[in-house]
Amino acid sequence: MIYCPRFSAHVVTPPEISIVIPVYDEEAVLPALFERLYRALDALGRAYEIVFVDDGSRDRSPLLLREQHARRRDVTRVVLLNRNYGQHMAIMAGFEQARGSKVVTLDADLQNPPEQIGVLLAAMDAGHDYVGSVRRGRQDRFLRRNASRLVNALRERTTRIRMNDHGSMMRAYASHIVRSMTRSRETTAFIPALAYTYAVNPVEVEIAHAARAAGRSKYSWLTLARLNFDLMTGFSIVPLRLFSLGGCLVALASALLFIYHLARGLMHGPQVDPVFGLFTVVFFLIGVVLFGLGLLGEYVGRIYLQVRDHPRFVVAAMLDTAPAADPERR
Ligand code: UDP
Ligand code: MG
């Protein structure tokens, strides 16, 4: 650290690598993470910093992070958010602080082995500005794995984003991508997809995947559905278009059905149970209309969140030994 009296500020050489880790109620796994993460990073022999972002944890995670900060003040920085904003916004808060020219994101639960960070960095050294990962031998439940496969396939068809495993959060980004993301001001950003839109030379590498080391997943089916709606509606209006097209087809089909019933009635007299047939059609149409309204609501909701222009997150405290990040990053 060089002290520069003229501006009375500390000038710190930025590290090469910033590791950003979102933490939400992870007290059970943090000790094991600290143990493996620092060892793996020290072994790389590159200058690094770790930016932990506490996403409004209700357990002892903030305390454990404070202790770790005191133990490894040289490379540890902690952002404490005032409440829970979700994994992607927590990562965004970490991005705002990251100073490295390469930024790596990782989950706290050791599902992404820290020992494999070098694999991502090697791909960056080879000239890629965005390195995604494909989870080898994915260790999640059967239903979750298959739902994820389905959403990946859907995303591949409805957006311009080309990747094999958008749910894998172990990734590396060049700092220009991180800067573009923090400037984007989107309140419901799906980070892997957003980064892809700014990348020049993206690639994916295979990374091992482990079962969660301790604690429970922070995603319920509901929050997962929310997240994937963010992905679909954030990067494509194909769902809206498909819906309009579907609406036209359904309208056409019901018109044909009406003509058919009318013709049959005229030829053979009143049918046995027309009420039943009518109800079936009406319920189907109501279902379609409600789904459409919901879909429209997703887009309107995004516009609402955006025009409200609230801060995306509020940093309650920052444990740091160095000056705040480059203001250009904000
Ligand atoms: N996480 C977070 N905020 C949330 C939910 C999750 O910061 O609201 C963090 C969590 O602590 C973990 C990562 O995001 O580091 C992935 O969460 P989790 O392992 O529960 O998700 P899963 O692996 O089940 O998709
Ligand atoms: Mg996990």
Side-chain angles (χ1 to χ4, degrees):
M1 190 181 290
I2 309 154
Y3 185 59
C4 179
R6 185 149 170 249
F7 300 104
S8 120
H10 294 283
V11 180
V12 179
T13 318
E16 181 193 351
I17 301 154
S18 295
I19 311 285
V20 173
I21 305 187
V23 176
Y24 180 49
D25 287 353
E26 300 286 10
E27 64 176 6
V29 81
L30 282 179
L33 173 72
F34 296 153
E35 178 77 28
R36 277 175 59 187
L37 180 65
Y38 286 77
R39 196 177 329 127
L41 288 170
D42 289 335
L44 280 179
R46 301 186 187 216
Y48 71 89
E49 65 173 6
I50 306 175
V51 183
F52 291 104
V53 184
D54 179 73
D55 189 19
S57 296
R58 298 150 303 176
D59 67 358
R60 288 170 55 254
S61 299
L63 180 74
L64 297 180
L65 291 173
R66 279 177 193 279
E67 285 172 5
Q68 183 61 20
H69 174 253
R71 266 195 297 271
R72 287 298 304 269
R73 207 179 276 270
D74 56 332
V75 288
T76 311
R77 305 167 73 207
V78 183
V79 182
L80 295 142
L81 299 181
N82 69 327
R83 66 167 177 83
N84 180 250
Y85 291 90
Q87 180 182 8
H88 292 248
M89 275 307 120
I91 293 176
M92 203 62 96
F95 280 166
E96 290 206 346
Q97 299 300 329
R99 295 176 297 205
S101 56
K102 303 179 177 89
V103 181
V104 174
T105 53
L106 204 68
D107 285 352
D109 59 359
L110 288 171
Q111 288 202 273
N112 312 128
E115 296 77 15
Q116 298 223 294
I117 292 173
V119 179
L120 300 179
L121 296 178
M124 291 217 92
D125 293 343
H128 296 284
D129 60 348
Y130 179 33
V131 187
S133 60
V134 178
R135 292 167 279 194
R136 185 180 346 114
R138 185 165 170 193
Q139 299 294 315
D140 280 317
R141 284 165 195 245
F142 176 80
L143 258 178
R144 177 86 189 266
R145 278 200 318 271
N146 284 290
S148 158
R149 190 171 301 159
L150 186 77
V151 180
N152 265 298
L154 208 62
R155 187 256 318 132
E156 198 73 12
R157 277 170 187 73
T158 57
T159 70
R160 287 163 197 262
I161 294 150
R162 296 286 158 264
M163 53 174 93
N164 286 305
D165 189 2
H166 63 237
S168 175
M169 294 305 284
M170 182 164 183
R171 289 167 184 274
Y173 315 79
S175 56
H176 77 87
I177 295 182
V178 169
R179 241 192 329 269
S180 301
M181 283 196 280
T182 54
R183 281 187 183 144
S184 78
R185 316 308 312 160
E186 252 195 77
T187 46
T188 45
F190 190 96
I191 287 179
L194 189 60
Y196 184 90
T197 62
Y198 298 127
V200 179
N201 187 13
V203 73
E204 279 180 309
V205 294
E206 266 206 6
I207 292 285
H209 194 244
R212 186 176 243 285
R216 301 181 46 199
S217 169
K218 305 301 173 302
Y219 281 100
S220 62
W221 283 102
L222 202 67
T223 44
L224 270 179
R226 254 252 55 87
L227 185 70
N228 284 297
F229 258 114
D230 276 350
L231 171 66
M232 290 303 167
T233 58
F235 293 89
S236 155
I237 54 165
V238 171
L240 263 188
R241 290 197 176 134
L242 278 181
F243 183 75
S244 324
L245 191 71
C248 292
L249 290 178
V250 168
L252 190 71
S254 43
L256 290 177
L257 205 69
F258 174 74
I259 294 170
Y260 167 74
H261 275 295
L262 197 70
R264 246 181 93 170
L266 285 176
M267 281 191 281
H268 307 289
Q271 293 303 296
V272 201
D273 196 2
V275 178
F276 179 74
L278 194 67
F279 264 85
T280 323
V281 174
V282 167
F283 279 135
F284 173 65
L285 288 180
I286 290 177
V288 173
V289 168
L290 285 182
F291 175 72
L293 277 180
L295 190 61
L296 211 62
E298 283 293 325
Y299 286 95
V300 175
R302 290 180 70 83
I303 299 169
Y304 164 72
L305 288 175
Q306 214 57 51
V307 295
R308 259 194 338 176
D309 203 23
H310 282 191
R312 296 197 287 182
F313 41 79
V314 173
V315 175
M318 174 82 205
L319 309 184
D320 206 347
T321 48
D326 176 3
E328 279 290 290
R329 281 276 168 85
R330 281 148 206 272

Coordinates of all heavy atoms in Angstrom, one line a residue, residues 221-259:
W221 N -39.6 -24.1 -4.4 CA -40.1 -24.2 -5.8 C -40.6 -22.9 -6.3 O -40.5 -22.5 -7.4 CB -41.1 -25.3 -6.0 CG -40.5 -26.7 -6.0 CD1 -40.4 -27.5 -5.0 CD2 -39.7 -27.2 -7.1 NE1 -39.7 -28.7 -5.3 CE2 -39.2 -28.5 -6.6 CE3 -39.4 -26.8 -8.4 CZ2 -38.5 -29.3 -7.5 CZ3 -38.7 -27.7 -9.2 CH2 -38.2 -28.9 -8.7
L222 N -41.2 -22.1 -5.3 CA -41.8 -20.8 -5.7 C -40.7 -19.8 -6.0 O -40.8 -19.2 -7.1 CB -42.6 -20.3 -4.4 CG -43.6 -19.3 -4.8 CD1 -44.8 -19.9 -5.6 CD2 -44.2 -18.7 -3.5
T223 N -39.6 -19.8 -5.2 CA -38.6 -18.8 -5.5 C -37.8 -19.2 -6.8 O -37.4 -18.3 -7.6 CB -37.6 -18.6 -4.4 OG1 -37.2 -19.9 -3.9 CG2 -38.1 -17.8 -3.2
L224 N -37.8 -20.5 -7.0 CA -37.1 -21.0 -8.3 C -38.0 -20.5 -9.5 O -37.4 -20.1 -10.5 CB -37.0 -22.5 -8.3 CG -35.7 -23.0 -7.7 CD1 -35.8 -24.6 -7.8 CD2 -34.5 -22.5 -8.5
A225 N -39.3 -20.7 -9.3 CA -40.2 -20.3 -10.4 C -40.0 -18.8 -10.7 O -39.9 -18.4 -11.8 CB -41.6 -20.6 -10.1
R226 N -40.0 -18.0 -9.6 CA -39.8 -16.6 -9.7 C -38.5 -16.2 -10.5 O -38.5 -15.5 -11.5 CB -39.6 -16.0 -8.4 CG -40.8 -15.2 -7.8 CD -40.6 -13.7 -7.7 NE -40.2 -13.1 -9.0 CZ -41.1 -12.7 -9.9 NH1 -42.4 -12.8 -9.7 NH2 -40.7 -12.1 -11.0
L227 N -37.5 -16.9 -10.1 CA -36.2 -16.6 -10.7 C -36.2 -16.9 -12.2 O -35.7 -16.2 -13.0 CB -35.1 -17.5 -10.0 CG -33.7 -17.3 -10.4 CD1 -33.2 -15.9 -9.9 CD2 -32.8 -18.4 -9.9
N228 N -36.8 -18.1 -12.6 CA -36.9 -18.5 -14.0 C -37.8 -17.6 -14.8 O -37.6 -17.4 -16.0 CB -37.2 -19.9 -14.1 CG -35.9 -20.8 -13.7 OD1 -34.9 -20.7 -14.4 ND2 -36.0 -21.5 -12.6
F229 N -38.8 -17.0 -14.1 CA -39.7 -16.0 -14.9 C -38.8 -14.8 -15.1 O -38.9 -14.2 -16.2 CB -40.9 -15.7 -14.0 CG -42.1 -16.3 -14.5 CD1 -42.8 -17.3 -13.7 CD2 -42.6 -16.0 -15.8 CE1 -43.9 -17.9 -14.2 CE2 -43.8 -16.7 -16.2 CZ -44.4 -17.6 -15.4
D230 N -37.9 -14.4 -14.2 CA -37.0 -13.3 -14.4 C -36.2 -13.6 -15.7 O -35.9 -12.7 -16.5 CB -36.1 -13.1 -13.2 CG -36.8 -12.3 -12.1 OD1 -37.9 -11.7 -12.4 OD2 -36.2 -12.2 -11.0
L231 N -35.7 -14.8 -15.7 CA -34.8 -15.2 -16.9 C -35.6 -15.1 -18.2 O -35.2 -14.4 -19.1 CB -34.3 -16.6 -16.7 CG -33.6 -17.2 -17.9 CD1 -32.3 -16.5 -18.1 CD2 -33.3 -18.7 -17.6
M232 N -36.8 -15.7 -18.2 CA -37.6 -15.7 -19.5 C -38.0 -14.4 -19.9 O -37.9 -13.9 -21.0 CB -38.8 -16.7 -19.3 CG -38.4 -18.1 -19.2 SD -37.5 -18.6 -20.7 CE -36.8 -20.1 -20.2
T233 N -38.7 -13.6 -18.9 CA -39.2 -12.4 -19.3 C -38.2 -11.3 -19.4 O -38.4 -10.2 -20.0 CB -40.4 -12.0 -18.3 OG1 -39.8 -11.9 -17.0 CG2 -41.5 -12.9 -18.3
G234 N -37.0 -11.5 -18.8 CA -36.0 -10.5 -18.8 C -35.2 -10.5 -20.1 O -34.6 -9.5 -20.4
F235 N -35.2 -11.6 -20.8 CA -34.4 -11.7 -22.0 C -35.1 -12.0 -23.3 O -34.5 -12.2 -24.3 CB -33.3 -12.7 -21.7 CG -32.3 -12.2 -20.7 CD1 -32.6 -12.6 -19.3 CD2 -31.2 -11.5 -21.0 CE1 -31.7 -12.1 -18.3 CE2 -30.4 -11.0 -20.0 CZ -30.6 -11.3 -18.7
S236 N -36.4 -12.0 -23.2 CA -37.2 -12.4 -24.4 C -38.6 -12.0 -24.3 O -39.2 -12.0 -23.2 CB -37.1 -13.9 -24.6 OG -38.1 -14.4 -25.3
I237 N -39.2 -11.5 -25.4 CA -40.7 -11.3 -25.4 C -41.4 -12.4 -26.1 O -42.5 -12.4 -26.5 CB -41.1 -9.9 -25.9 CG1 -40.5 -9.7 -27.3 CG2 -40.7 -8.8 -24.9 CD1 -41.2 -8.5 -28.0
V238 N -40.6 -13.5 -26.4 CA -41.2 -14.6 -27.1 C -42.4 -15.2 -26.4 O -43.4 -15.5 -27.0 CB -40.1 -15.7 -27.4 CG1 -40.8 -17.0 -28.0 CG2 -39.1 -15.2 -28.4
P239 N -42.3 -15.4 -25.0 CA -43.5 -15.9 -24.3 C -44.8 -15.1 -24.6 O -45.8 -15.6 -24.8 CB -43.1 -15.8 -22.8 CG -41.7 -15.9 -22.8 CD -41.2 -15.2 -24.1
L240 N -44.6 -13.7 -24.7 CA -45.8 -12.9 -25.0 C -46.3 -13.2 -26.4 O -47.5 -13.3 -26.6 CB -45.4 -11.4 -24.9 CG -45.7 -10.7 -23.6 CD1 -45.4 -9.2 -23.7 CD2 -47.1 -10.9 -23.2
R241 N -45.3 -13.3 -27.3 CA -45.7 -13.5 -28.7 C -46.4 -14.8 -28.9 O -47.4 -15.0 -29.6 CB -44.5 -13.4 -29.6 CG -44.0 -12.0 -29.6 CD -43.1 -11.9 -30.8 NE -42.7 -10.5 -30.9 CZ -41.4 -10.1 -31.1 NH1 -40.5 -11.0 -31.2 NH2 -41.2 -8.8 -31.2
L242 N -45.8 -15.8 -28.2 CA -46.4 -17.2 -28.3 C -47.8 -17.2 -27.7 O -48.7 -17.8 -28.3 CB -45.6 -18.2 -27.4 CG -44.3 -18.7 -28.1 CD1 -43.6 -19.7 -27.1 CD2 -44.6 -19.4 -29.4
F243 N -48.0 -16.4 -26.7 CA -49.3 -16.3 -26.1 C -50.3 -15.7 -27.0 O -51.4 -16.2 -27.2 CB -49.2 -15.6 -24.8 CG -50.6 -15.6 -24.1 CD1 -51.0 -16.7 -23.5 CD2 -51.4 -14.5 -24.2 CE1 -52.3 -16.8 -22.9 CE2 -52.7 -14.5 -23.6 CZ -53.1 -15.6 -23.0
S244 N -49.9 -14.6 -27.7 CA -50.8 -14.0 -28.6 C -51.2 -15.0 -29.7 O -52.3 -15.1 -30.1 CB -50.2 -12.8 -29.3 OG -49.4 -12.1 -28.4
L245 N -50.2 -15.7 -30.2 CA -50.4 -16.7 -31.3 C -51.3 -17.8 -30.8 O -52.3 -18.1 -31.5 CB -49.0 -17.3 -31.7 CG -49.0 -18.1 -32.9 CD1 -49.2 -17.2 -34.1 CD2 -47.7 -18.9 -33.1
G246 N -51.0 -18.3 -29.6 CA -51.9 -19.3 -29.0 C -53.3 -18.8 -28.8 O -54.3 -19.5 -29.1
G247 N -53.5 -17.6 -28.4 CA -54.8 -17.0 -28.3 C -55.5 -17.0 -29.6 O -56.7 -17.3 -29.6
C248 N -54.8 -16.6 -30.7 CA -55.5 -16.6 -32.0 C -55.9 -18.0 -32.4 O -57.1 -18.2 -32.8 CB -54.5 -16.2 -33.1 SG -54.1 -14.4 -32.9
L249 N -55.0 -19.0 -32.1 CA -55.4 -20.4 -32.5 C -56.6 -20.9 -31.7 O -57.5 -21.5 -32.2 CB -54.2 -21.3 -32.2 CG -53.0 -21.1 -33.2 CD1 -51.8 -22.0 -32.8 CD2 -53.4 -21.3 -34.6
V250 N -56.6 -20.6 -30.4 CA -57.7 -21.0 -29.5 C -59.0 -20.4 -30.0 O -60.0 -21.1 -30.1 CB -57.4 -20.7 -28.0 CG1 -58.6 -20.9 -27.2 CG2 -56.3 -21.6 -27.5
A251 N -58.9 -19.1 -30.3 CA -60.1 -18.4 -30.8 C -60.6 -19.1 -32.1 O -61.8 -19.3 -32.2 CB -59.8 -16.9 -31.0
L252 N -59.7 -19.4 -33.0 CA -60.1 -20.0 -34.2 C -60.7 -21.4 -34.0 O -61.8 -21.7 -34.5 CB -58.8 -20.2 -35.1 CG -59.0 -20.6 -36.5 CD1 -59.7 -19.5 -37.3 CD2 -57.7 -21.0 -37.2
A253 N -60.1 -22.2 -33.1 CA -60.6 -23.5 -32.8 C -62.0 -23.4 -32.2 O -62.9 -24.2 -32.5 CB -59.6 -24.2 -31.8
S254 N -62.2 -22.4 -31.3 CA -63.5 -22.4 -30.7 C -64.6 -21.9 -31.7 O -65.7 -22.3 -31.6 CB -63.5 -21.5 -29.4 OG -62.8 -20.4 -29.6
A255 N -64.1 -21.1 -32.6 CA -65.1 -20.7 -33.7 C -65.5 -21.9 -34.5 O -66.7 -22.1 -34.8 CB -64.4 -19.6 -34.5
L256 N -64.5 -22.7 -34.9 CA -64.8 -23.9 -35.7 C -65.7 -24.9 -34.9 O -66.6 -25.4 -35.4 CB -63.5 -24.6 -36.0 CG -62.6 -23.9 -37.0 CD1 -61.3 -24.7 -37.2 CD2 -63.3 -23.7 -38.3
L257 N -65.4 -25.0 -33.6 CA -66.3 -25.9 -32.7 C -67.7 -25.4 -32.7 O -68.6 -26.2 -32.8 CB -65.7 -25.9 -31.3 CG -66.0 -27.1 -30.5 CD1 -65.2 -28.3 -31.1 CD2 -65.5 -26.9 -29.0
F258 N -67.8 -24.1 -32.6 CA -69.2 -23.5 -32.6 C -69.9 -23.8 -33.9 O -71.1 -24.2 -33.8 CB -69.0 -21.9 -32.4 CG -70.3 -21.2 -32.4 CD1 -71.2 -21.3 -31.4 CD2 -70.7 -20.4 -33.6 CE1 -72.5 -20.6 -31.5 CE2 -71.9 -19.8 -33.6 CZ -72.8 -19.9 -32.6
I259 N -69.2 -23.6 -35.0 CA -69.9 -23.9 -36.3 C -70.3 -25.3 -36.4 O -71.4 -25.7 -36.8 CB -68.9 -23.5 -37.4 CG1 -68.7 -22.0 -37.4 CG2 -69.4 -23.9 -38.8 CD1 -67.6 -21.5 -38.3

